[in-house]
Amino acid sequence: RYVTIIGLLAALLWLPLLIACVTLLVGVVVYMVCLRLPGKVAVPWERLIALEKNHGAAVMRMLGWFVDVPTGERKVNHRRWLSWIGRKLPWKQEQAFRFLLTRTFIRTELMPTISRFTLFGVLLVLLTRESWFGVAVYLLFIIWSGMQMTMLRKQHTDTLWLSIYPLPPAARRLETIRLITFVQLIIAVVLWIPLASTGNITLLIGTLIAGIAVVWIQRASLNRKWLRELKLEEEFE
């Protein structure tokens, strides 16, 4: 279209008037005929949609290395070599939700994400362990791990059987917070190990105490926030 317009304008400007009018008329007729011809190149929509899905999946996989990103389909990996952890839990009514959450944490992408995140944190703490910046990195990774673990709150929110089976009303909140705290404490200890090579006993003990304190502060904050949300839901009901 642009080539046709530029060509016709050039014909009007540089050709004699009669020839320019004939050229303009012929150009308009040819252009209208071309518009009625079927397209010679079909757009492969199915292929383009598939390529877009593959590109989106690749981006999500890259982001999912260190952050649990929401996706349309949730992948479940059985990881039978870790199934013994769930079998170690006592089969009691008050711990039924802990069993479910433990299996969920093991089988979803949250556990690999937390593992990679922790290994990256260990490397950074190891590189910065000789300064106070290493302590800041240590505490920062503990805070970030707690923020990532809160994704467990969104698990099974729409599961129907949770409202059918006789589970204690506060089981979901308590068991979720306990599992998050337990995993965070493990991460705090693992991240603390590279600091052991510094040889400063005061720094070691103080850093570990600070890390555990951060875990309990986040635990209390999550519990207060959850109770506040439950109270608001009850008021709206």
Side-chain angles (χ1 to χ4, degrees), residues 107-127:
R107 294 183 175 184
T108 58
E109 287 300 312
L110 183 58
M111 191 189 74
T113 301
I114 292 294
S115 301
R116 291 188 292 264
F117 181 83
T118 304
L119 290 176
F120 184 65
V122 168
L123 179 62
L124 287 183
V125 173
L126 185 63
L127 294 175

Side-chain angles (χ1 to χ4, degrees), residues 9 13 16 27 48 51 76 80 82 124 157 162 185 196 220 233:
L9 288 176
L13 291 175
L48 292 177
L51 289 175
V76 177
R80 302 185 186 280
L82 291 175
L124 287 183
T157 53
L162 292 179
L185 288 174
E233 290 177 3

Side-chain angles (χ1 to χ4, degrees), residues 49-227:
I49 292 173
L51 289 175
E52 182 66 22
K53 287 184 178 179
N54 291 336
H55 177 69
V59 173
M60 287 299 179
R61 282 196 301 270
M62 182 186 67
L63 296 176
W65 271 80
F66 302 106
V67 180
D68 187 17
V69 294
T71 57
E73 298 179 359
R74 186 167 292 277
K75 186 179 179 181
V76 177
N77 299 299
H78 291 288
R79 298 191 177 97
R80 302 185 186 280
W81 58 282
L82 291 175
S83 59
W84 60 271
I85 298 177
R87 290 195 296 267
K88 291 293 183 180
L89 297 175
W91 189 251
K92 297 181 180 180
Q93 180 184 10
E94 60 272 13
Q95 295 185 356
F97 205 87
R98 182 187 303 182
F99 178 84
L100 175 64
L101 279 180
T102 304
R103 287 298 183 95
T104 301
F105 177 67
I106 292 174
R107 294 183 175 184
T108 58
E109 287 300 312
L110 183 58
M111 191 189 74
T113 301
I114 292 294
S115 301
R116 291 188 292 264
F117 181 83
T118 304
L119 290 176
F120 184 65
V122 168
L123 179 62
L124 287 183
V125 173
L126 185 63
L127 294 175
T128 58
R129 66 186 184 277
E130 299 296 338
S131 63
W132 285 99
F133 184 69
V135 178
V137 171
Y138 169 76
L139 297 177
L140 187 61
F141 268 84
I142 294 177
I143 295 173
W144 282 348
S145 66
M147 295 170 62
Q148 284 296 305
M149 286 297 298
T150 54
M151 293 296 296
L152 281 175
R153 283 192 58 186
K154 300 179 181 179
Q155 303 290 337
H156 307 291
T157 53
D158 299 325
T159 305
L160 178 62
W161 69 264
L162 292 179
S163 59
I164 298 175
Y165 281 80
L167 294 174
R172 178 168 173 258
R173 175 178 59 85
L174 294 176
E175 296 302 335
T176 303
I177 293 176
R178 285 172 183 170
L179 181 59
I180 292 175
T181 304
F182 179 73
V183 175
Q184 253 194 300
L185 288 174
I186 294 178
I187 293 173
V189 174
V190 172
L191 292 173
W192 177 77
I193 292 175
L195 296 172
S197 60
T198 58
N200 191 336
I201 302 300
T202 303
L203 179 64
L204 286 176
I205 298 176
T207 303
L208 183 60
I209 293 174
I212 295 175
V214 167
V215 173
W216 285 100
I217 290 173
Q218 283 191 292
R219 173 192 173 99
S221 176
L222 178 60
N223 190 38
R224 287 195 303 269
K225 180 180 178 181
W226 204 328
L227 289 174

Side-chain angles (χ1 to χ4, degrees), residues 10-27:
L12 289 175
L13 291 175
W14 290 311
L15 294 178
L17 182 60
L18 181 60
I19 299 176
C21 291
V22 173
T23 305
L24 179 62
L25 180 61
V26 173

